[in-house]
Amino acid sequence: MTEVATVRRSRLTPEREAELYEAVLNLLREVGYDSLTMDAVATRTRSSKATLYRQWGGKAELVAHAIRHNKPGGDHSADTGSLRGDLHAMMAREDDCTMEQNAALMRGMAIAMHSNPDLLRAFRELLIEPEMAAMQRVLQRAVDRGEIPADNPARKYMPHMIIGAFATRTLLDDLPPTRDFLISYMDAVVLPALGVTSTT
Amino acid sequence: MTEVATVRRSRLTPEREAELYEAVLNLLREVGYDSLTMDAVATRTRSSKATLYRQWGGKAELVAHAIRHNKPGGDHSADTGSLRGDLHAMMAREDDCTMEQNAALMRGMAIAMHSNPDLLRAFRELLIEPEMAAMQRVLQRAVDRGEIPADNPARKYMPHMIIGAFATRTLLDDLPPTRDFLISYMDAVVLPALGVTSTT
């Protein structure tokens, strides 16, 4: 079994890697995960299939890497000096158009994950776990600043609160998730749940 | 265009209606929404397809009615005397086995809704809007009791908080939603977000 995280991709230049990922995302948006083939990626990027498999191990890993590469500021590293500032900065990384495109892409991926265990595994390792870890780093900074207690019971539910609102917005309101929606949700729900008043 | 809510179903006895809905849910679990046919429902329930279309208008409406019928205590009417009690009662309506089955069913429906606008419309009218209205009634009682202020900014995000946690639990934690999870989430997130301390 190939371990997702240990696949070597060191032979490609960063520019070539970015070009490959861009082509994979374009194909994903055009045909969806289930109809995307390694043949199509190879043709579109003028690569050999052998190279793709050697570098990424398989379609699930290639797609998860492409989506991760597309995420802006993946490490949530901006320390703005307050939890509220950090959460707002996290929500402001993408403009609304990009966010809507990515929400559509993620819905398609969520559907594909249910019938593709490889994809679910690659997503967990490359996208969900790093995202959850990044949220916990933001919260740890808030603990270190004295903004929230270390044993705050809402801490462990940060991903459910935030990813849940992002994921259900379209179904519940017939509207895409936007920066304004997410920032309003942070102030109305996430910060009060953590015991931080949103007026600071 | 058929308005979902105005389709007449008055000719069936409640027992016969319950029997039909049960058969629809069994078929849904067996083959999924896209492969479920009105022919199969007619055969399984010894009905004519004409009857099914006359009573429900179409497959989407029949399926949404069957799922709504299956929901326990759909009106959230239990007034336990406190918001915390009402929310816990809402989460305790289903045992964990039923909840896991229903979570799997709802994931399948969420997938089908993306390619079936009729199903999305029937779901909004028959399931999502009544659920959102029921949550707002629970909150209104809390306002009337003086537990939360009428202009609490987290009120409008109740569905995103709760349905979001239910929907993302499996993806984020590789575990089904359970009563214990949902009750813990209510105490750690939903009540504090609304400004209610969970220790009462």
Side-chain angles (χ1 to χ4, degrees):
Chain A
M1 304 296 290
T2 310
E3 271 292 316
V4 172
T6 59
V7 172
R8 300 291 301 270
R9 306 186 313 284
S10 55
R11 294 188 193 184
L12 298 181
T13 64
E15 293 72 23
R16 178 68 176 142
E17 208 174 84
E19 190 180 290
L20 268 156
Y21 290 147
E22 187 58 35
V24 170
L25 292 177
N26 285 337
L27 276 167
L28 262 186
R29 295 194 177 102
E30 287 164 31
V31 304
Y33 182 81
D34 285 327
S35 302
L36 184 147
T37 62
M38 292 296 256
D39 276 318
V41 175
T43 303
R44 179 83 57 110
T45 60
R46 300 171 312 281
S47 318
S48 74
K49 263 171 53 170
T51 301
L52 297 178
Y53 279 105
R54 190 173 60 242
Q55 302 284 336
W56 282 279
K59 174 170 128 176
E61 293 81 3
L62 173 57
V63 164
H65 275 283
I67 291 173
R68 186 173 73 168
H69 184 264
N70 188 46
K71 285 176 69 69
D75 68 346
H76 302 279
S77 60
D79 184 348
T80 66
S82 73
L83 177 58
R84 182 168 192 243
D86 287 0
L87 291 178
H88 282 208
M90 195 193 285
M91 295 304 108
R93 285 176 297 163
E94 297 178 10
D95 63 38
D96 285 347
C97 177
T98 307
M99 200 180 289
E100 186 168 354
Q101 283 179 346
N102 287 347
L105 189 64
M106 293 307 274
R107 276 198 298 277
M109 299 310 294
I111 291 169
M113 273 186 269
H114 288 298
S115 45
N116 293 283
D118 283 356
L119 182 64
L120 178 58
R121 187 170 57 89
F123 245 70
R124 281 231 172 84
E125 284 191 40
L126 291 166
L127 285 147
I128 296 171
E129 285 167 14
E131 187 76 19
M132 290 169 84
M135 286 183 192
Q136 295 309 325
R137 284 198 297 277
V138 166
L139 289 175
Q140 187 56 50
R141 285 208 299 261
V143 171
D144 295 344
R145 287 186 203 109
E147 290 182 281
I148 61 172
D151 62 351
N152 187 301
R155 261 182 91 167
K156 66 178 169 181
Y157 296 125
M158 270 287 274
H160 307 81
M161 282 192 259
I162 296 177
I163 298 174
F166 183 85
T168 56
R169 165 69 161 171
T170 304
L171 177 66
L172 294 178
D173 301 321
D174 203 8
L175 289 168
T178 59
R179 278 200 284 197
D180 284 351
F181 164 74
L182 289 168
I183 285 175
S184 162
Y185 182 80
M186 289 288 164
D187 287 345
V189 170
V190 178
L191 289 163
L194 292 164
V196 178
T197 56
S198 63
T199 50
T200 50
Chain B
M1 304 297 290
T2 311
E3 270 293 316
V4 171
T6 60
V7 172
R8 299 291 300 270
R9 306 185 314 283
S10 55
R11 293 185 191 186
L12 300 180
T13 64
E15 293 74 21
R16 178 68 176 140
E17 207 173 85
E19 190 180 290
L20 268 156
Y21 289 148
E22 188 57 35
V24 170
L25 292 177
N26 286 337
L27 276 168
L28 260 187
R29 294 193 178 102
E30 288 164 30
V31 303
Y33 182 81
D34 285 325
S35 302
L36 185 148
T37 63
M38 292 296 257
D39 276 318
V41 176
T43 303
R44 177 86 54 112
T45 60
R46 303 170 311 281
S47 318
S48 74
K49 262 173 51 172
T51 301
L52 297 178
Y53 278 106
R54 192 173 58 244
Q55 301 285 335
W56 283 279
K59 175 171 125 176
E61 293 81 3
L62 173 57
V63 165
H65 275 284
I67 291 174
R68 187 172 72 168
H69 185 264
N70 187 48
K71 283 177 71 68
D75 68 346
H76 303 277
S77 59
D79 184 347
T80 66
S82 73
L83 177 58
R84 183 168 190 243
D86 287 0
L87 291 179
H88 283 207
M90 194 194 283
M91 295 303 108
R93 286 177 296 164
E94 298 178 11
D95 63 37
D96 285 346
C97 178
T98 308
M99 200 180 288
E100 186 167 353
Q101 284 178 346
N102 287 346
L105 189 64
M106 294 307 275
R107 275 197 298 278
M109 300 309 293
I111 291 169
M113 272 186 268
H114 288 298
S115 45
N116 294 283
D118 282 357
L119 182 64
L120 177 59
R121 187 170 56 89
F123 244 70
R124 281 233 170 83
E125 284 191 40
L126 291 166
L127 286 148
I128 295 171
E129 284 167 15
E131 187 75 20
M132 289 170 86
M135 286 184 192
Q136 294 309 324
R137 284 196 299 277
V138 166
L139 288 175
Q140 187 58 49
R141 285 208 298 262
V143 171
D144 296 344
R145 289 186 201 108
E147 291 183 281
I148 62 172
D151 62 351
N152 187 300
R155 264 182 90 164
K156 65 178 171 181
Y157 295 125
M158 271 288 274
H160 308 80
M161 279 190 262
I162 296 176
I163 299 173
F166 183 85
T168 55
R169 166 71 161 168
T170 304
L171 176 66
L172 294 178
D173 301 320
D174 203 9
L175 289 168
T178 60
R179 278 199 284 198
D180 284 350
F181 165 74
L182 289 168
I183 285 174
S184 162
Y185 183 79
M186 289 289 166
D187 288 345
V189 170
V190 178
L191 289 164
L194 292 164
V196 178
T197 57
S198 63
T199 51
T200 50

